[in-house]
Amino acid sequence: MAGTKARAREIRAYASLGRGVKSSRGIPEATVARLPVYLRALAGLADGGSETVSSDALALAAGVNSAKVRKDLSHLGSYGTRGVGYDVNYLVHQISRELGLTQDWAVVIVGIGNLGHALANYGGFAERGFRIAALVDADRRRVGEELAGVNVSHMDDLDAIVRESKVSIGVIATPAHAAQDVCDRLVAAGVTSILNFAPVVINVPAGVDLRKVDLSIELQILSFHEQRKAAMSRLRTAVES
Amino acid sequence: MAGTKARAREIRAYASLGRGVKSSRGIPEATVARLPVYLRALAGLADGGSETVSSDALALAAGVNSAKVRKDLSHLGSYGTRGVGYDVNYLVHQISRELGLTQDWAVVIVGIGNLGHALANYGGFAERGFRIAALVDADRRRVGEELAGVNVSHMDDLDAIVRESKVSIGVIATPAHAAQDVCDRLVAAGVTSILNFAPVVINVPAGVDLRKVDLSIELQILSFHEQRKAAMSRLRTAVES
DNA sequence: TTGTGTGAACAACTTCACAGCT
DNA sequence: AGCTGTGAAGTTGTTCACACAA
């Protein structure tokens, strides 16, 4: 029986995809979030002509510490050579594979205002295998406008576009009040990953991944630390007086 | 001696601002990051006419669970009433104070390309006490252009602008290759908080806070999960075959 | 000798579960 | 009876420090 062993491996892998399994392939979220940073750092090192890189050097380029680099990379497998380091190109390949960047993902951007324009023109999209399948807006006056080589379509066609182009990632760049409705429509059409730029909490059913980017929240976090710094120097002068 | 007790309190507070102190005022980072979300949820509830809110209701509006809400709010003090909940307006006030939103912060945006335009026109700025003190670009052709009521200045004037307007927060919306230099100039001029949109790792000296927003990284994280979902359904069919 | 890979200690964060106040 | 505030337990993430391979 040739297929028995492979079959057993499949079943084990399947089981390990469930909840709360530590074994082979459970890459921690924190690690996943750093892999793209390593990838970018490695691209820079490869441009600089490096063949291999140590965890120390990669850590420096990625802005983390070397223990973290080694732990993170160890989750992908033992791709390093003791006493030498990691092969840059091989590592790029492995990380890309793990992140699913060896295939193309179709993306739709909804909401072609200021932010939508900025996102559509952002070069980093195509570069990593994210293909803009469509730009969508609720305002008929914008329909037909060309942007980054793609024509703007109307919201009414969203469902058809998602199904035809097999869009799996939706980017929401609408005003806050429209975001939940847009999200629901994206999900109904079959999108399973959403990146939300609207400053509002939105809900998705289980099985759909949602990430958010929120300028206002970032500024408020910085404000907190600014205030703490200000309070600290005020106290320091008071105590030293 | 009237001032002795107040003085002792100051010194205690000063000491507690050091590293690794659990005592009174050490609000966890994870909590700080959620406070702006609560604030937004509370604004919605206040608009809806609510006078008080339970941890359950607030959790629902903020997209977290109620235990987290209670723990988070307990770090600010005991502002709730058992059997009743929290007073909406009072809580808004306390969170705003904690985040330093009761004062205005001057912000400078560097890099007036697509993204810079989107950021400058983003309404959420002024709304929370973030005043755009200046828009700055390295391209002289853009200087003088008016945007959201502010004229674009040249990079050469950055230092003077930061000092005169007491800018404490800098937003970097330049191409990647310019980001580190812009950051250094901002820090040299006296900016102590930086929000970086450029897709590159930048370094700041100790004492300066740095946060980043990176579209490409977010997409790659979604890609990872998409791939995992795809692998899972592939395995499921294989096993069930 | 150099630098990876990893168990073990540590630290941060989340969730549970319930005492105690209103 | 209802809901907060919080110790304690559980989970995830980080750092240390060193055995071991090249």
Side-chain angles (χ1 to χ4, degrees):
Chain A
M1 268 272 217
T4 312
K5 232 164 135 186
R7 188 71 190 292
R9 204 180 329 109
E10 267 177 356
I11 294 173
R12 239 178 299 119
Y14 175 65
S16 83
L17 283 167
R19 277 273 118 241
V21 177
K22 323 252 95 149
S23 64
S24 57
R25 273 299 180 99
I27 301 183
E29 265 306 304
T31 295
V32 171
R34 279 187 296 266
L35 291 179
V37 179
Y38 298 150
L39 206 47
R40 190 179 282 158
L42 287 166
L45 290 164
D47 281 354
S50 307
E51 295 268 308
T52 61
V53 63
S54 67
S55 59
D56 266 316
L58 182 50
L60 189 70
V64 300
N65 66 48
S66 62
K68 216 179 261 180
V69 169
R70 289 200 299 280
K71 218 6 153 230
D72 283 343
L73 296 183
S74 77
H75 290 299
L76 313 186
S78 286
Y79 297 143
T81 308
R82 293 173 191 231
V84 179
Y86 304 86
D87 180 276
V88 173
N89 289 324
Y90 188 59
L91 200 49
V92 165
H93 177 253
Q94 289 302 332
I95 295 178
S96 297
R97 214 172 46 85
E98 201 63 60
L99 288 174
L101 303 178
T102 47
Q103 63 197 283
D104 270 28
W105 298 105
V107 176
V108 59
I109 300 177
V110 183
I112 312 301
N114 275 303
L115 180 59
H117 272 85
L119 296 177
N121 285 314
Y122 172 62
F125 258 109
E127 188 183 292
R128 289 258 178 261
F130 298 98
R131 185 172 48 81
I132 300 183
L135 303 171
V136 173
D137 201 286
D139 187 346
R140 291 204 178 276
R141 281 168 300 182
R142 277 203 237 271
V143 174
E145 183 184 337
E146 192 186 303
L147 199 53
V150 181
N151 283 324
V152 175
S153 307
H154 190 263
M155 267 299 279
D156 291 349
D157 303 325
L158 182 64
D159 200 84
I161 292 167
V162 169
R163 287 176 207 280
E164 276 164 32
S165 306
K166 299 211 194 308
V167 172
S168 44
I169 300 179
V171 176
I172 300 178
T174 64
H177 64 85
Q180 182 66 59
D181 180 56
V182 167
C183 174
D184 293 345
R185 291 213 222 176
L186 285 167
V187 171
V191 167
T192 47
S193 286
I194 304 237
L195 181 52
N196 178 37
F197 284 86
V200 64
V201 175
I202 62 181
N203 296 295
V204 292
V208 175
D209 282 291
L210 171 67
R211 299 190 61 85
K212 69 163 192 286
V213 171
D214 194 317
L215 170 65
S216 170
I217 287 178
E218 297 300 325
L219 285 175
Q220 289 173 61
I221 295 170
L222 287 176
S223 166
F224 172 83
H225 292 291
E226 274 300 310
Q227 196 213 28
R228 221 172 52 87
K229 280 183 272 191
M232 183 142 94
S233 60
R234 235 181 293 116
L235 277 167
R236 187 182 291 123
T237 12
V239 170
E240 284 166 358
S241 70
Chain B
M1 268 271 201
T4 312
K5 232 162 135 187
R7 188 72 189 293
R9 204 182 328 113
E10 268 176 356
I11 294 175
R12 238 177 300 118
Y14 174 65
S16 82
L17 283 166
R19 276 273 119 240
V21 177
K22 321 252 95 152
S23 63
S24 57
R25 274 298 180 98
I27 301 183
E29 265 306 304
T31 295
V32 172
R34 280 188 296 267
L35 291 179
V37 180
Y38 297 151
L39 205 48
R40 191 178 282 157
L42 288 166
L45 290 164
D47 280 355
S50 307
E51 294 268 309
T52 62
V53 63
S54 67
S55 60
D56 266 314
L58 181 51
L60 189 70
V64 298
N65 65 47
S66 62
K68 217 180 260 180
V69 168
R70 289 200 298 281
K71 221 0 157 231
D72 284 342
L73 296 184
S74 78
H75 290 299
L76 312 186
S78 286
Y79 297 144
T81 307
R82 290 169 195 235
V84 179
Y86 303 85
D87 181 277
V88 174
N89 289 323
Y90 187 59
L91 200 49
V92 165
H93 177 254
Q94 290 302 333
I95 294 177
S96 298
R97 213 172 47 86
E98 201 63 60
L99 288 173
L101 303 178
T102 47
Q103 63 197 284
D104 271 27
W105 299 104
V107 176
V108 59
I109 300 177
V110 183
I112 312 301
N114 275 305
L115 180 60
H117 272 84
L119 296 177
N121 285 315
Y122 172 62
F125 258 109
E127 188 184 291
R128 289 257 178 262
F130 298 99
R131 185 173 47 82
I132 300 183
L135 303 170
V136 173
D137 200 286
D139 187 345
R140 290 204 179 277
R141 280 169 300 181
R142 275 203 237 272
V143 174
E145 183 183 338
E146 192 186 303
L147 199 53
V150 182
N151 283 323
V152 175
S153 308
H154 191 264
M155 266 301 279
D156 291 348
D157 302 326
L158 182 64
D159 199 84
I161 291 166
V162 168
R163 288 176 205 280
E164 275 163 32
S165 306
K166 299 210 192 310
V167 173
S168 43
I169 300 178
V171 176
I172 299 177
T174 65
H177 64 85
Q180 182 66 62
D181 180 57
V182 167
C183 175
D184 293 345
R185 291 214 223 175
L186 284 167
V187 171
V191 168
T192 46
S193 286
I194 303 236
L195 181 53
N196 178 37
F197 283 86
V200 64
V201 174
I202 62 180
N203 296 295
V204 292
V208 175
D209 283 290
L210 171 68
R211 298 189 62 87
K212 70 163 191 286
V213 171
D214 194 316
L215 170 64
S216 171
I217 287 178
E218 298 300 325
L219 285 175
Q220 290 173 60
I221 295 170
L222 287 176
S223 167
F224 171 84
H225 292 291
E226 274 301 309
Q227 195 211 29
R228 220 172 53 88
K229 278 183 275 191
M232 183 142 95
S233 61
R234 234 182 292 118
L235 275 168
R236 187 181 292 124
T237 10
V239 170
E240 284 167 357
S241 71

